[in-house]
Every structure is written in C-alpha cells, then in structure tokens.
Amino acid sequence: MNPSLERAAPIAFGLLGLLLWQGAVSLLHVPSYVLPGPIAIVAAFWADRLSLLISLLSTIGITAAALLAAASLGMILALAMAASRLARAAIQPWAVVLQVTPVVAIAPLIIIWVDQQFAALVVCATIVAFFPVLSNTAAGLAATPPELADLFRLNGASRSQTLFLLRLPAALPYFLAGLRIAGTLALVGAVVAEFVASSGGFASGLAGRILEAGYRLEIPRMFAALTLLAIAGILIYAALGWFERALLRRYGAAF
C-alpha cells in the first residue's frame, strides 16, 4: 500500500465522519443542546477560545508533571524489584492495589491531605499513570537474554554492573512503550482529578470548563472542550511515539 495513502486514510475517514455528522444534525434539525454539529462546536470554541486554551494549558501542565513523576517512580520501583526479590515481593502487590483502585474514589482524600491544589492533582494523575511504566520496565529487566547475562557473569561483573550496564539498557524499549501508554493515562488522571476538584468548588483545567458548560447547558462549548482534550491526547501519544522511535534509532545498536 502507498505510505502516503495510508497516512491520509485516517484524516479522510475523520473528515467523512464530520461531514456525515453535520449533515445528519442539519437534516434532522437536532437542537444544539442535544447534539451540536461540528460547525456549532467550532463556533463555540472560537467564541471562548482564550478561556479554553488557558484551561488546556493548565491540564497539560498537570499531565506533564504527572508523567515525569510516573516515569521516575516507575523506573525506581522497577529497578528495586529487579535488584531484590524481597523488594519485588513487597512492592508488586501494593502497586497492583493502587492500579485497581478507582482514582475518582480516592481523589477527594488526596485533595484534602495534600494542601496545595496543583500538587494534589499531580498525585492523582501519577497514581493512574505510573503502573504501565513500572510493569513494562520490570518485564524488560526480567527479559534480558540469558547468554548475555552469562557473559557478564563470566567476566566477573557485579550485580550492580549487570543491572545498569546490561539489563537496564536492554529494558529501554519496554520502558519507552510503558511511557507512551502512561502519557495518555496521565491526561486521563489529570482530567478525573480536575473533575473532583471542580465539584468541590476548585474550578481547574478543561474539566472545570466541561462541568461549567454542562451546568449552563452550553453543550457546544462542552464539546469544544472535549475536542481539545482528544486532540491533546493524540498529540501526547504521537510525541511520545516519535521520542520512542528517535531514541531507539539512536541507541538501537546497543540492544
């Protein structure tokens, strides 16, 4: 298949979907407070673009801080689990508990316990995002080729040398794959935390704008905020994918 045609296919499919959506809304005379068309959504965004873009920057800031925290925490815990079976036995169950606990259930407690609002939202988003980094990195550290581990052992390498010079570089593709998943999860966690904070009177980010638009039945404005979130998620995923490919191309010979 032609690569250019393959890249253009999702854009063409999306444009076709938007045309059908706008046509159906217009032909069926669907009220905008039930389902706005793409034209109404664009108009609502343009009318309130400054407020929506500032809110988007707030959400992106929380997402970026949470992704950095999740990457650091996931890597550190994965290294601890790889270095010690006791650490693995101690850490893994609690990591799973955090992953399966709905963040919306514990977000109110975190917002109460953490005095600073931005830090509280980052903590909530980090809880959602760190597990893919931890699990993927731990899997990569455990998947080191045994023949290379034997070679290091035969040459008298210590456990720490084997960990940092062999197992950690070999786990880089796994870490980057987990980071790519964590990027979108950090955005989801940030929005969920903002919903909880906004419900308590601390309007923040795009989630605050979505709730505000819902209370006022400004459905086109709500869809505009949701569209911005979707675009942000796509760009984060694409940027992390580009970073992953660039890093692996540069250091691929080591793996």
Side-chain angles (χ1 to χ4, degrees), residues 177-242:
L179 188 68
R180 195 173 185 182
I181 299 170
T184 53
L185 289 180
L187 179 62
V188 172
V191 172
V192 170
E194 287 176 347
F195 268 119
V196 174
S198 298
S199 299
F202 300 100
S204 173
L206 278 177
R209 303 288 77 76
I210 291 171
L211 285 176
E212 180 184 88
Y215 294 147
R216 297 178 179 179
L217 290 181
E218 297 174 344
I219 307 305
R221 184 165 172 254
M222 177 190 292
F223 270 79
L226 289 170
T227 302
L228 285 178
L229 282 176
I231 293 172
I234 292 169
L235 292 178
I236 289 171
Y237 189 81
L240 291 173
W242 174 86

Side-chain angles (χ1 to χ4, degrees), residues 14 35 48 58 63 67 69-70 77 103 139-140 148 154 193 202 208 219 235 253:
L35 179 63
D48 195 30
S58 175
T63 302
L67 181 59
L77 293 179
V103 71
L148 292 180
L154 287 173
F202 300 100
I219 307 305
L235 292 178

Side-chain angles (χ1 to χ4, degrees), residues 82-85 157-164 167:
S84 168
R85 294 180 62 183
S158 64
R159 291 184 62 183
S160 60
Q161 287 175 323
T162 302
L163 177 61
F164 287 102
R167 298 177 67 186

Side-chain angles (χ1 to χ4, degrees), residues 101-153:
T101 302
V103 71
V104 70
I106 59 175
L109 292 174
I110 294 172
I111 291 171
I112 292 171
W113 292 338
V114 180
D115 193 42
Q116 211 279 332
Q117 183 185 346
F118 179 82
L121 298 179
V122 170
V123 170
C124 293
T126 301
I127 291 173
V128 176
F130 92 98
F131 190 78
V133 179
L134 171 64
S135 58
N136 278 34
T137 306
L141 290 169
T144 305
E147 61 274 14
L148 292 180
D150 291 340
L151 181 62
F152 266 63
R153 194 178 303 109

